[in-house]
Structures are given as structure tokens and as C-alpha cells.
Amino acid sequence: MKRISIIDAKDYVGQTVEIGAWVANKRSSGKIAFLQLRDGTAYFQGVVVKNEVGEEIFETAKGLTQETSVIITGEIREDSRSHFGYEIGISNVEVVGESHEYPITPKEHGTDFLMDHRHLWLRSSKQHAIMLIRNEVIRATYEFFNNNGFIKVDPPILTGSAPEGTTELFETNYFDQKAYLSQSGQLYMEAAAMAFGKVFSFGPTFRAEKSKTRRHLIEFWMIEPEMAFMHQEESLVVQEQYVAFLVQNVLEHCDYALDVLERDKELLKKYTQLPFPRITYDDAIELLIKNGFDDIKWGDDFGSPHETFIANSFEKPVFILNYPKAIKPFYMKPHPTRDDVVICADLIAPEGYGEIIGGSERETDYDQLLVQIKKFGLSEEEYSWYLDLRKYGSVPHSGFGLGLERAITWISGIEHIREAIPFPRLLNRIYP
Ligand code: 4AD
Ligand code: MG
């Protein structure tokens, strides 16, 4: 007999097939039992009728408990009443693994309880939907960069340098040397861009940030493109095309997941329309002050209420350009006519989801870069390889980093970033 996945049921209407699944839920009366079946590809209903299967199989079906694993045999039928559109008329049920007192029941549970049971919570329909969107964002990322002539390059995870500042580092022993978990692959991606032109990375990054917010993870995944012979204006175009492509592909391929999450698709469609608005840091500060924010002045970094207010002034993601030099990393290229700001941009997502991209044009001049390295208290010796890139055929180059989980949180429309990654590492949590 043919073993199929639930998602493929539409191709087997009228045929008898076998499905390996878990029982997500069950309702039964004296003569009929309805099994809510889950196999990781989709959910659908299985119907067991006592008169059709006989006493023994019906009793087995009636006794199934939540999360019991089963092999179901039956005929696929159309089911116009369900969202999925198909069901299975069951002729046999074989129990594979029993499940007793499954801790996550259909009733409401507190967040801590669910986080303690993350290994099981992942089986729920909402978490499944979020992971489908995560999968699509990753798939579309590779498609976008492959379509646009980028080469995927993998920077190291264990490093000797700290590109995004030295306070948020995870330190570890590298034999008799100190090493850090990567905060960003950028510096290595700059080397790769000088070797291969247009490159992108996709990998885990680590920040020992003491922030307990709904936007921060300790371990998160970042996509970092880096482009040789490219100024910031062109990089912004790549960024908005990339983000619009992600949203477009989720709309095209994740209809079911967006329905489960009750995401407003009309809103998402707006985010695919280019260009995205651009506002300078100066103008953003002025906008905030004009609207009664008295807790911010020129030179400060934005907090989450500031970013949310700025985002709400636009209908689409918005680029904030040219931040003060003093609050940005050492490698950013200074503005050509002003020495207090750098050529950079953050992309702020709508609806209060905050910064999803940070990027900039990079300093290309050897001497200027060395001054910056010293000013930031970094070691000239440790960064000599990075300085080399300015010694041998230095070119204008720009790049950016998109926080995968920030993007997923926003596109999914969920409350908290912890649900955008299978096993979140948070300030007070490294379990399970
Ligand atoms: O703005 P960030 O720190 O930029 C960089 O790391 C650059 N080196 C990127 C580059 O130019 N190649 O981080 C980039 C993005 C942020 O915009 C945000 O989306 C995400 O990474 N991010 C986090 N996501 C989850 N949890 C955290 N603690 C994050 N910190 C940054
Ligand atoms: Mg940033």
C-alpha cells in the first residue's frame, strides 16, 4: 500500500493509502470517532465508523490518547467543510507508540510552562505554522541571492574578533587562547567579497545581551550579504528588493500558515511594494521631538518606543539613514560632507517590530580604518588581516545583516521573537 504525507492527500482522492501520524485530538460518540491527525506536513481529520470497521478497530480508535503515534489506513475523500479540504475514511488503525498524560492539553497554558516543554510545544499548529514560514524565508533567501549572482560563503563561528563591540561577547577557551562566539560574520564576508564579488552568509550569531525584550535572542541567525564595488545607495535597493521578495514568497507559499496565524495578508501585500521610504537620523530625531518625545536628543540611539513611532509614520518598512558616528561600529564609512555621521542605514519594520536590518558602506581607506581601530581600543595586530583588505586593491563595498528571527516575527505577526526559532536561547533560559 502507498504510504503518503497528509499534505499530498489531494492527489489520492478515492484511493486507499497509509499515513504515519500522531493523534492531535479526538472526539467520539457511540458509533463514530473523529481523529485530528498530524504528520508534520499538515493536519486533517480521520473518520472511524463503527459499522464499517467493526468492534475491535473502533475500540482502538476510541481509546487513542493525545500524541499517540499511529499508522492509519483509509480512503482519501474530499471534505468541503474543513479548511484543508480532505479527510480520510479510516479502515484500520495500528498503534506505533502510546502516549499517556501528554502535558500540553488543548486548554490554555502559561508561557513558562510552554517554554519548559518547547520540545513538545513545537508540535502545536501555531508553532508548526511559524516554522513553515521560517522554512520559506530561508528557502527564499537562497533563491534571491542565487538569482542575483551572489555566492554563499560561510564565515567562522569561533573567532578572535568582536566586530559589533566588546561588551556582548561569549568568551570560550580555544586551547590556550581566548576565543569568542561570532557576533557577526561581516569582517570575514568583507574578505570574501574581495575574493568573490557578491557574497552572502547564513549562520548563527551570539550576543550576550542582558536585554529581556520580545525582540532579543541570545543566539539568533543572520543573513549577511556583502558586495564589492557597491555604494550604500545600491545596497539599499538590494535590501528592499530582498525584504519584499521574502514577504512575496511567504504570501505565495505559506497561505495555510498565514491563516493559522490569522495574519492580515492585505497588510503584507503592501510591504511588497517598492521603494521603501527613507528618512535621515536627523529628521527622525526631529519627528520624535516634534511629537512630544522628551526622552531623546540628537546623538542618542533609538529605543523601541521611538522605533515604533517612526515606523507608524509610514505604511511600509522604513530606512533610517546616517546615524551618529559615536553610536555605530568602527568599520562604517564616514559621511563625505559631515564628520559626525556615517553612511549607514537600519531598516525598521512596520507594526512595532523594530530593526530587522543593520547595514552600511565600509571604510575603504587603510589609514582611516587604522585610526578607527585604535580609537575603539581594538588591537592593530589582531585586525591586521582585516586591514590587509585595504592594502591590496581596496574598493568601495557595502553590506548588511538581516536578523532572521526578527523578520519571521514580523512577517508572521507574532508577539514574541522566542517563537520564531525552534529552541530559543534567552537571558534566563538554555533549556530545553
Ligand atoms: O545591527 P546589527 O548588530 O548589525 C551587524 O551585526 C552587522 N555586522 C551586519 C552587517 O552589516 N553585515 O545586527 C543585524 C541584525 C539587526 O538588524 C537585527 O535584525 C538582528 O541582526 N539582531 C538580533 N536579532 C535577535 N536578537 C538579537 N539580540 C539581535 N541583535 C541583532
Ligand atoms: Mg543594529
Side-chain angles (χ1 to χ4, degrees), residues 74-328:
E75 186 186 319
I76 302 293
R77 311 191 282 233
E78 284 189 26
D79 172 22
S80 56
R81 285 155 304 174
S82 75
H83 180 282
F84 185 67
Y86 304 90
E87 64 175 21
I88 184 165
I90 294 177
S91 51
N92 191 35
V93 180
E94 180 193 327
V95 172
V96 178
E98 294 182 4
S99 165
H100 299 289
E101 290 169 44
Y102 185 69
I104 304 177
T105 58
K107 70 164 198 194
E108 290 274 311
H109 294 283
T111 303
D112 266 340
F113 180 86
L114 290 171
M115 289 295 286
D116 285 342
H117 294 85
R118 182 64 177 166
H119 51 297
L120 301 176
W121 188 21
L122 281 175
R123 301 181 184 193
S124 78
S125 58
K126 181 183 173 197
Q127 301 308 313
H128 179 229
I130 298 167
M131 290 306 137
L132 291 177
I133 289 174
R134 181 181 174 104
N135 185 58
E136 178 57 25
V137 170
I138 295 169
R139 193 205 62 75
T141 291
Y142 280 86
E143 184 180 335
F144 179 84
F145 289 109
N146 283 323
N147 287 350
N148 287 284
F150 285 69
I151 294 179
K152 166 114 193 307
V153 172
D154 304 310
I157 305 293
L158 285 167
T159 72
S161 64
E164 302 302 318
T166 49
T167 54
E168 297 163 354
L169 279 173
F170 279 106
E171 198 179 301
T172 179
N173 290 328
Y174 195 77
F175 306 105
D176 50 4
Q177 228 175 302
K178 267 189 204 164
Y180 310 100
L181 296 182
S182 175
Q183 290 179 307
S184 157
Q186 181 194 317
L187 305 191
Y188 298 97
M189 296 309 288
E190 288 183 57
M194 299 305 139
F196 311 120
K198 291 198 284 185
V199 293
F200 77 107
S201 69
F202 171 52
T205 47
F206 307 84
R207 306 225 176 147
E209 285 181 280
K210 292 258 156 61
S211 358
K212 203 175 168 183
T213 78
R214 55 192 191 91
R215 295 175 180 178
H216 286 90
L217 292 166
I218 301 301
E219 179 180 304
F220 65 97
W221 288 64
M222 191 157 40
I223 290 102
E224 294 190 273
E226 193 71 32
M227 298 148 293
F229 293 100
M230 194 178 281
H231 292 290
Q232 173 73 350
E233 300 77 55
E234 293 165 87
S235 171
L236 293 182
V237 173
V238 175
Q239 291 173 46
E240 61 188 4
Q241 286 176 346
Y242 170 44
V243 170
F245 188 80
L246 295 180
V247 176
Q248 184 64 43
N249 275 275
V250 169
L251 277 166
E252 277 170 24
H253 301 129
C254 301
D255 197 52
Y256 158 78
L258 293 171
D259 283 342
V260 170
L261 297 167
E262 295 174 14
R263 186 65 166 126
D264 184 340
K265 293 176 200 165
E266 292 310 311
L267 213 48
L268 289 181
K269 277 183 199 152
K270 278 193 197 161
Y271 307 153
T272 64
Q273 267 136 48
L274 298 182
F276 293 159
R278 291 142 165 79
I279 178 177
T280 62
Y281 170 90
D282 293 358
D283 289 344
I285 290 285
E286 203 182 300
L287 177 75
L288 291 169
I289 292 172
K290 225 171 52 195
N291 283 280
F293 284 87
D294 53 10
D295 58 343
I296 191 152
K297 56 180 189 320
W298 199 96
D300 295 344
D301 210 350
F302 299 118
S304 143
H306 307 124
E307 283 180 353
T308 301
F309 185 86
I310 297 163
N312 287 343
S313 310
F314 300 90
E315 291 213 307
K316 295 187 274 189
V318 53
F319 286 111
I320 304 181
L321 313 181
N322 306 339
Y323 284 69
K325 200 175 185 174
I327 56 170
K328 287 293 179 188

Side-chain angles (χ1 to χ4, degrees), residues 15-85:
Q15 297 183 43
T16 298
V17 296
E18 214 173 71
I19 294 178
W22 288 263
V23 179
N25 213 339
K26 184 201 65 193
R27 280 186 297 127
S28 62
S29 68
K31 296 193 185 83
I32 188 160
F34 297 98
L35 308 180
Q36 182 67 13
L37 298 166
R38 166 184 76 75
D39 75 346
T41 66
Y43 289 77
F44 82 158
Q45 172 170 278
V47 185
V48 195
V49 179
K50 188 174 177 179
N51 287 343
E52 292 170 6
V53 297
E55 183 80 35
E56 194 183 332
I57 292 173
F58 188 72
E59 284 310 307
T60 304
K62 241 179 102 175
L64 290 172
T65 48
Q66 194 186 350
E67 289 306 314
T68 298
S69 50
V70 288
I71 292 174
I72 296 289
T73 308
E75 186 186 319
I76 302 293
R77 311 191 282 233
E78 284 189 26
D79 172 22
S80 56
R81 285 155 304 174
S82 75
H83 180 282
F84 185 67

